[in-house]
Amino acid sequence: MITVNQQQLDAYVTDQRPTFESLLGQMVEIPSISMDPAKSHEMLRMATMATQVLNDFGAEAHIVETGGYPIVSGGWLTGAHHPTVTIYNHMDVQPAQEPEWTQEPFAFRNEDGMYHGRGATDDKGPALSALLGARFAIEQGLPINIRFLWELEEEIGSPNFAAGLKNRAGIPRPDSVVVSDTIWIAKGRPAMPYSLRGLLGARLTLRTGSKDAHSGVTGGAARNPLGELIEVAQACVNAKTGEVKIPGFYKGVITATKAEIKSFLRSGFQVRRFKEAYGFHSLRTNDPAEIMRRIWTAPTFEIHGLTGGYHGPGVKTVVPGQGELKVSMRLVPNQTPEEAFALLKKYVAKLNPNVKVEREGMLHPFKGSFDGPYIDCVKRAAKAGFGKEPAFIREGGSIGAVVTMQKAWKVPILFLGLSLPEHGYHAPNEYFDWGQASGGMKAFAHYFAGLAKMGKG
């Protein structure tokens, strides 16, 4: 009978704490910032170290070239007739240039189980938790093949991940995938997503002159590119309600069901905590269900920046010669970034034919299962690790690799995230904690046991 001896697992997790803390410290102190070309040597150092960690744990591991930064692939093969699961995490991190950092971001600090440093929760801590849970499962002789896929380009949209997956010898197709790169809604209330929004970024530029001009001499006759771009933005989105006004934008969008909203409400979401976590003074609505619907199941049009003209102190009275509007759209299942870009470009051409629209990256949305045997397995695993069954939610963000794996492998993809809102994903003073790490090790060990019991479909 395939079971987990809880007493042995508890003792194992306690014994592994020094190992976890040592490895996390070493990983955090490698500034693996994928979007910074100056850190390319650190990216290779991160890949080499990650490979060595897997080898030291008794797993086969190697580096898979992609044409960009590599992927680390490895794991344990216990039998060709056993089910194979791949655990996806990423080892690249966001930059850490915010002035709010209270410590050196790439100097690991352990404050009694609070692990500070860039990458601690996104995504090196969860990766190590999954690895330690996997080693326990292998040492217990569970009939399951466990593989790891550690990417180094997630933070820049996974541009070369698909190329890496084509190396079928280096990255074999599994029977299922579990991703540990998501955030709960509240501490003590596990929340696992089954859907991700997609993303389309775009730059809208308008040049009306070769240089800035004096408004006293030319104002009234000169076109103002910033004003015209603001007019375009206003035509695309209602700034007060968030309603997107691009014709055809909502075609095919499926609204959340009552069952989904009910599950969202079990996640522990609180409006007050949401506002505090992200520093909001006010929101478009204060209804919890409506907020969750908006951030998880509805598409958006956001304005991120307007550049051009004068940005120094005081007011310099110039008419800009050019301007640029930076925007993005979060997309939901049944939308594609290609279609969204075509709609945007066509609409902007109608509004102002002189505005140039250029695409800046895109990620497709993802929707997985809301029920079924794999979901039941995640439920049991989370309860074993954290004492409560998870609420199943949708995720407002995007993970490009997930859609790529779904397209390439056509296997079930599940999520078993370990991070908390207060951990500071993409924020200054990022950290992870032992409670989430130890619970994660236990949850993953139980998850592997559950998959082994299900057998090879």
Side-chain angles (χ1 to χ4, degrees):
M1 187 173 181
I2 301 170
T3 59
V4 172
N5 184 310
Q6 191 62 46
Q7 189 174 1
Q8 288 182 357
L9 178 57
D10 290 343
Y12 168 85
V13 169
T14 299
D15 289 344
Q16 293 304 308
R17 182 168 180 171
T19 299
F20 173 84
E21 293 176 343
S22 174
L23 289 175
L24 182 59
Q26 293 174 56
M27 288 183 168
V28 164
E29 293 192 347
I30 298 177
S32 47
I33 307 170
S34 53
M35 66 179 66
D36 185 353
K39 293 291 188 292
S40 59
H41 64 292
E42 300 289 3
M43 303 302 296
L44 299 179
R45 187 159 73 101
M46 185 71 253
T48 301
M49 186 218 166
T51 305
Q52 188 61 54
V53 168
L54 287 167
N55 287 153
D56 290 346
F57 273 47
E60 171 277 327
H62 54 273
I63 290 175
V64 175
E65 299 298 336
T66 68
Y69 292 128
I71 297 169
V72 175
S73 175
W76 294 275
L77 178 65
T78 63
H81 57 290
H82 296 161
T84 300
V85 59
T86 289
I87 301 94
Y88 168 90
N89 293 88
H90 65 90
M91 289 289 167
D92 62 322
V93 301
Q94 285 279 313
Q97 300 172 333
E98 302 93 338
E100 293 86 359
W101 280 92
T102 58
Q103 67 157 74
E104 169 57 39
F106 295 103
F108 180 73
R109 190 171 84 249
N110 178 358
E111 293 183 343
D112 193 26
M114 306 284 277
Y115 310 122
H116 298 265
R118 176 59 92 210
T121 198
D122 183 21
D123 184 33
K124 296 172 180 179
L128 286 173
S129 298
L131 175 61
L132 284 159
R135 187 171 69 170
F136 176 84
I138 294 298
E139 289 177 349
Q140 295 302 302
L142 293 181
I144 185 169
N145 304 313
I146 303 176
R147 295 198 58 83
F148 290 89
L149 208 54
W150 289 346
E151 191 189 3
L152 285 146
E153 292 187 337
E154 192 278 334
E155 298 292 7
I156 55 173
S158 304
N160 298 288
F161 188 74
L165 290 196
K166 291 179 181 178
N167 185 337
R168 296 183 180 180
I171 306 177
R173 179 183 181 273
D175 299 304
S176 67
V177 174
V178 60
V179 176
S180 189
D181 183 28
T182 53
I183 312 172
W184 295 11
I185 304 305
K187 187 174 184 178
R189 300 288 296 272
M192 306 303 170
Y194 58 92
S195 177
L196 303 168
R197 288 196 292 192
L199 176 67
L200 170 70
R203 290 187 302 116
L204 282 60
T205 56
L206 176 59
R207 178 178 287 276
T208 58
S210 59
K211 59 184 179 180
D212 294 352
H214 193 298
S215 67
V217 177
T218 65
R223 293 175 63 186
N224 190 308
L226 296 185
E228 292 186 32
L229 287 171
I230 290 170
E231 184 179 50
V232 168
Q234 186 179 32
C236 288
V237 64
N238 184 318
K240 290 184 177 179
T241 67
E243 177 193 3
V244 182
K245 298 189 285 185
I246 300 171
F249 182 75
Y250 290 102
K251 183 180 179 181
V253 171
I254 301 172
T255 59
T257 65
K258 291 182 179 179
E260 287 180 297
I261 296 296
K262 188 176 180 180
S263 182
F264 297 169
L265 290 169
R266 289 196 296 266
S267 69
F269 181 88
Q270 292 184 8
V271 177
R272 176 182 57 82
R273 286 183 181 175
F274 180 71
K275 291 169 71 174
E276 288 175 353
Y278 298 103
F280 294 133
H281 299 298
S282 60
L283 299 169
R284 284 173 173 154
T285 176
N286 287 307
D287 177 71
E290 178 61 12
I291 292 174
M292 288 184 282
R293 186 196 69 79
R294 284 170 176 254
I295 64 176
W296 295 338
T297 75
T300 66
F301 185 101
E302 298 289 358
I303 297 166
H304 305 297
L306 180 65
T307 61
Y310 177 67
H311 292 277
V315 177
K316 183 179 181 182
T317 56
V318 297
V319 176
Q322 66 175 335
E324 179 180 87
L325 183 70
K326 302 175 190 292
V327 305
S328 77
M329 289 176 267
R330 293 285 174 177
L331 307 172
V332 297
N334 278 17
Q335 291 182 306
T336 70
E338 293 89 351
E339 291 172 352
F341 181 70
L343 290 172
L344 173 66
K345 195 168 184 178
K346 180 180 179 181
Y347 188 47
V348 171
K350 182 179 179 181
L351 295 169
N352 190 325
N354 297 133
V355 174
K356 184 179 181 181
V357 182
E358 297 177 280
R359 193 171 67 190
E360 285 287 325
M362 65 178 190
L363 297 170
H364 284 255
F366 165 83
K367 189 174 182 182
S369 300
F370 187 53
D371 52 23
Y374 286 96
I375 290 291
D376 292 340
C377 194
V378 169
K379 287 180 181 178
R380 291 190 293 268
K383 187 172 183 179
F386 296 100
K388 291 183 179 179
E389 283 193 1
F392 286 89
I393 64 172
R394 296 203 198 181
E395 175 78 29
S398 310
I399 305 174
V402 170
V403 177
T404 302
M405 290 187 288
Q406 182 188 45
K407 184 177 180 180
W409 292 336
K410 296 178 176 59
V411 300
I413 299 178
L414 287 298
F415 295 81
L416 214 171
L418 304 176
S419 299
L420 301 175
E422 55 264 36
H423 284 164
Y425 249 58
H426 292 199
N429 304 311
E430 178 182 345
Y431 72 97
F432 195 49
D433 68 72
W434 176 246
Q436 292 300 107
S438 59
M441 293 174 203
K442 296 173 186 178
F444 269 101
H446 280 274
Y447 185 68
F448 298 134
L451 291 182
K453 190 179 296 185
M454 286 169 58
K456 190 174 179 70

